[in-house]
Amino acid sequence: MTPTPAVGKDTMHQNPPPLTTTTVTVAYAGGDERRGPVTMGQANMIRCILRDDPTHINIHDVWPVPEGTSAAVTDALCALTVRHEGLRTTFPHPPGATPVDQVVASEGTFTVTVLDHAELPGDPAEYAESVARAARAGRFALDREFPVRITLLTATGQPAYVALAFSHAVADGSAMAILREEFAELLAGKELPELTSLPPVDLAAVEASPAGLRKSEASLRYWERILRTGPQEMFAEPRGRRPGTDEEARQLTLRSRRGARALAGAARRTGHPEATVLMAAWCALVAHRAGQDSCVTAVPSANRFHARVARSVTTTSQDALLHLDVRVETFDALVARTWGAVLNAYRHSQFDSVRLWEMIDRVTAERGSHFGRDVVFNDVSALPAPLLGTDAQERDDAEQELTWGPPQALPTRLLAFTYRTAPQLHISLWAAPSVFTPEEAEGFLSGLVLLLEAAAAGDVPMKALAEVTGVRPAERGPDWLRVDGCWVSPDAVRETLGRAVGELPVRVQVTEASGAEPHLTAYIACGETPLTPTEAHRALTALIPAAGSGVLAPHRYVLVENPPAEPDRSDAWRRLNTIDEGTGRSRQV
């Protein structure tokens, strides 16, 4: 649900302006005109495109152009457009409506903006990156606009880079990598192989088949189990913020030959793929840092494991949701558990996104929570042409280095992109400042390498993670407790509920039965204010997304007329006459 992040600030104004700016219109023709329903991935991204800031949802890439291929550039772009139906697709819809159909054109035009320079700036790759990034501004007109904005950077007429911004409705990071690879092959005069993966219209038909619908239903059931039982926020701690409030986080990049050697060694020793070992290490460290018994992490790049979509130029951007219980004795045991858990998450990453969000809203209202997409782990290291930063290929000699980059708005608490695992481990991390100081963010990535090195040498006791990695678990006050699988602050619940009911007196009581998790009961002194448990619950859940960390709705609401003379004593509230009581939920819990 979160696209490849937009990183860095626009640096175009810092570079000399081009000598000339020319717009070239390119006509294409080929393929059949087609129409059909949108795919589940398209529907998911269209929902984001209509809602989110374009600079956050649009995506970009930069393609180098070898010398001596000037005439071939527009020919290659035209050939790619004819080859891939997704690039000839628009989404017609009435004003104010959400598109449900896609239309593939058999012919049309697109434009290329040519910026010619006397010479490109000192860091031409970074300049090209800034041009592509700037093109992300502005919402794509889904019903009529060609879904790629193309800028060709030239020096005295010789092409050097193609800077592109894509609508996320037709491409994702994998699709851009496929297109980049094919563009390079076309410029080299190679013949592209026959397409083996499905175009979007055919993929939508598969998804709408009885088997596809059963798969979607199974995915919704899988997600619902996690939403009803898993932690609602991974980083529930006094200084945390809810995921409903975005923060600006700086990019922190790890480049580590040590990490690559350690990952390879741990994979050999455990007999599991490197990707599984890395995921296990990530989940172990996230859960350890968060003080949780399990790690819930979104895995956006998990949707292309089937051959029919492996090389489709479309968007398959739907999360796989991994829920990994880390309550094992050793890291090897966690790696073994991770393999099955990841496959299970991948199998359940195709779903009707509209129905998913309806289910999320329903389940979290019933549970009295707000599901936070706190943690995102996106491993793109296996893509055919990995989507790397501009200098990634040129800096692979670092034994280990951490570098800070520019900030960006972060709708999660912890976002990681793994770009390469050899010859270096190359990971970029965005960590919310409310939860991670800069030193803690650096310590987290360094600790990940230390964990991999320890795992390469031998099995690591899970209880030794702090000693091995130097990463310390979250600190919570004595009033924090685990309720319904979530870390909760009764004081935060009381304060938020008080605001929700118009500052009426509120008391939150913790009931701890032997062998059972604690329950929360909220007493509300209504006075003359008309109120029901359902209204109190609805008002509270409306505030939870933007409330402080650690807020979960009480299991029961008890309405009384006036507060007791000693309002700080729970037994005094229990002795009052009850006006009304109940869970406040549409589904009893």
Side-chain angles (χ1 to χ4, degrees):
M1 298 175 199
T2 296
T4 305
V7 296
K9 295 181 178 178
D10 183 7
T11 58
M12 290 179 62
H13 66 279
Q14 300 170 359
N15 295 297
L19 293 175
T20 62
T21 300
T22 309
T23 299
V24 178
T25 299
V26 181
Y28 66 85
D32 298 325
E33 183 174 336
R34 307 181 69 196
R35 186 183 185 111
V38 297
T39 67
M40 292 179 179
Q42 287 172 332
N44 186 43
M45 296 320 302
I46 286 171
R47 178 182 179 275
C48 298
I49 288 168
L50 297 176
R51 179 196 63 195
D52 295 346
D53 184 327
T55 59
H56 295 170
I57 194 65
N58 295 336
I59 53 179
H60 74 278
D61 200 9
V62 173
W63 301 346
V65 179
E67 291 185 15
T69 53
S70 57
V73 171
T74 53
D75 290 345
L77 292 170
C78 190
L80 291 175
T81 302
V82 172
R83 175 177 169 84
H84 295 290
E85 291 185 5
L87 300 182
R88 296 183 276 119
T89 296
T90 53
F91 304 90
H93 59 283
T98 299
V100 295
D101 291 321
Q102 57 181 313
V103 172
V104 182
S106 60
E107 60 183 13
T109 61
F110 60 86
T111 60
V112 178
T113 301
V114 182
L115 303 182
D116 190 36
H117 306 71
E119 62 178 8
L120 293 177
D123 189 342
E126 178 57 32
Y127 170 60
E129 173 84 4
S130 72
V131 172
R133 192 184 309 119
R136 293 171 69 148
R139 209 176 301 277
F140 275 91
L142 294 170
D143 59 337
R144 62 185 184 277
E145 185 177 354
F146 187 75
V148 190
R149 297 167 183 159
I150 307 169
T151 306
L152 178 62
L153 305 182
T154 63
T156 60
Q158 295 302 308
Y161 293 93
V162 182
L164 309 104
F166 289 80
S167 165
H168 216 328
V170 304
D172 55 15
S174 297
M176 289 195 298
I178 292 163
L179 290 170
R180 180 200 288 190
E181 179 185 51
E182 292 185 350
F183 177 74
E185 290 178 350
L186 287 170
L187 292 186
K190 297 180 181 178
E191 185 174 338
L192 298 180
E194 290 292 320
L195 295 173
T196 56
S197 294
L198 296 177
V201 172
D202 294 333
L203 178 58
V206 170
E207 293 174 343
S209 69
L213 294 175
R214 286 194 299 271
K215 186 178 181 67
S216 178
E217 291 295 329
S219 296
L220 292 175
R221 290 194 297 271
Y222 168 87
W223 276 69
E224 184 165 351
R225 283 195 300 272
I226 297 174
L227 292 172
R228 288 197 181 277
T229 60
Q232 291 297 280
E233 48 175 338
M234 283 302 297
F235 298 106
E237 51 189 271
R239 60 177 171 168
R241 294 188 200 172
R242 278 286 185 172
T245 54
D246 290 0
E247 297 181 65
E248 197 170 72
R250 292 180 64 196
Q251 179 182 6
L252 175 63
T253 297
L254 167 78
R255 292 181 177 86
S256 174
R257 284 184 171 271
R258 281 177 48 194
R261 290 194 300 270
L263 178 58
R268 284 193 302 270
R269 192 188 63 75
T270 61
H272 285 276
E274 288 187 6
T276 304
V277 174
L278 183 59
M279 181 68 76
W282 168 263
C283 289
L285 203 57
V286 168
H288 166 71
R289 165 62 181 79
Q292 301 278 14
D293 291 336
S294 62
C295 176
V296 177
T297 184
V299 190
S301 61
N303 316 64
R304 290 180 177 264
F305 61 95
H306 197 286
R308 66 172 175 242
V309 292
R311 291 187 64 85
S312 288
V313 173
T314 184
T315 184
T316 62
S317 291
Q318 293 185 280
D319 282 345
L321 189 66
L322 174 63
H323 184 205
L324 183 62
D325 190 332
V326 300
R327 290 174 294 182
V328 291
E329 292 294 322
T330 67
F331 182 71
D332 284 9
L334 184 66
V335 173
R337 176 177 289 184
T338 302
W339 172 252
V342 168
L343 288 180
N344 202 25
Y346 286 6
R347 281 196 297 265
H348 296 102
S349 60
Q350 176 186 309
F351 44 78
D352 182 327
S353 59
V354 174
R355 290 189 58 203
L356 175 73
W357 283 104
E358 289 173 347
M359 182 268 288
I360 289 175
D361 289 343
R362 183 183 72 253
V363 169
T364 54
E366 291 170 357
R367 194 177 182 189
S369 61
H370 175 77
F371 173 68
R373 193 170 176 270
D374 266 7
V375 183
V376 181
F377 186 79
N378 208 348
D379 187 347
V380 297
S381 62
L383 294 183
L387 204 61
L388 302 176
T390 53
D391 61 347
Q393 302 282 14
E394 302 163 7
R395 299 173 58 185
D396 61 359
D397 59 344
E399 188 65 9
Q400 181 150 314
E401 69 174 13
L402 288 166
T403 55
W404 284 97
Q408 74 163 67
L410 188 70
T412 68
R413 301 285 78 94
L414 197 65
L415 167 66
F417 272 71
T418 299
Y419 295 114
R420 287 192 297 176
T421 56
Q424 322 175 291
L425 183 60
H426 177 186
I427 299 175
S428 284
L429 182 78
W430 291 261
S434 66
V435 180
F436 289 82
T437 66
E439 293 76 20
E440 287 171 331
E442 292 179 354
F444 186 88
L445 282 181
S446 299
L448 186 66
V449 173
L450 291 170
L451 175 55
L452 292 172
E453 288 180 329
D459 201 359
V460 179
M462 292 293 284
K463 64 182 180 182
L465 285 181
E467 179 184 351
V468 169
T469 67
V471 176
R472 303 296 170 188
E475 295 183 2
R476 300 181 179 93
D479 65 313
W480 284 69
L481 66 161
R482 207 184 295 268
V483 177
D484 193 18
C486 305
W487 281 106
V488 175
S489 165
D491 284 345
V493 175
R494 175 187 53 76
E495 188 275 330
T496 306
L497 179 57
R499 286 193 289 116
V501 297
E503 304 300 340
L504 293 173
V506 171
R507 172 74 178 181
V508 174
Q509 176 188 333
V510 179
T511 304
E512 300 188 60
S514 177
E517 274 198 340
H519 274 220
L520 301 181
T521 300
Y523 292 86
I524 306 173
C526 298
E528 300 298 320
T529 304
L531 187 68
T532 67
T534 299
E535 291 167 342
H537 181 73
R538 189 179 299 126
L540 174 60
T541 54
L543 289 187
I544 285 178
S549 187
V551 179
L552 193 73
H555 296 83
R556 198 157 195 82
Y557 300 86
V558 178
L559 308 183
V560 298
E561 187 173 357
N562 296 307
E566 299 177 275
D568 292 335
R569 293 183 55 185
S570 293
D571 59 343
W573 285 87
R574 287 196 299 269
R575 289 195 295 267
L576 298 173
N577 291 330
T578 299
I579 299 173
D580 195 2
E581 63 178 310
T583 67
R585 287 127 168 106
S586 57
R587 170 171 162 166
Q588 296 297 298
V589 294

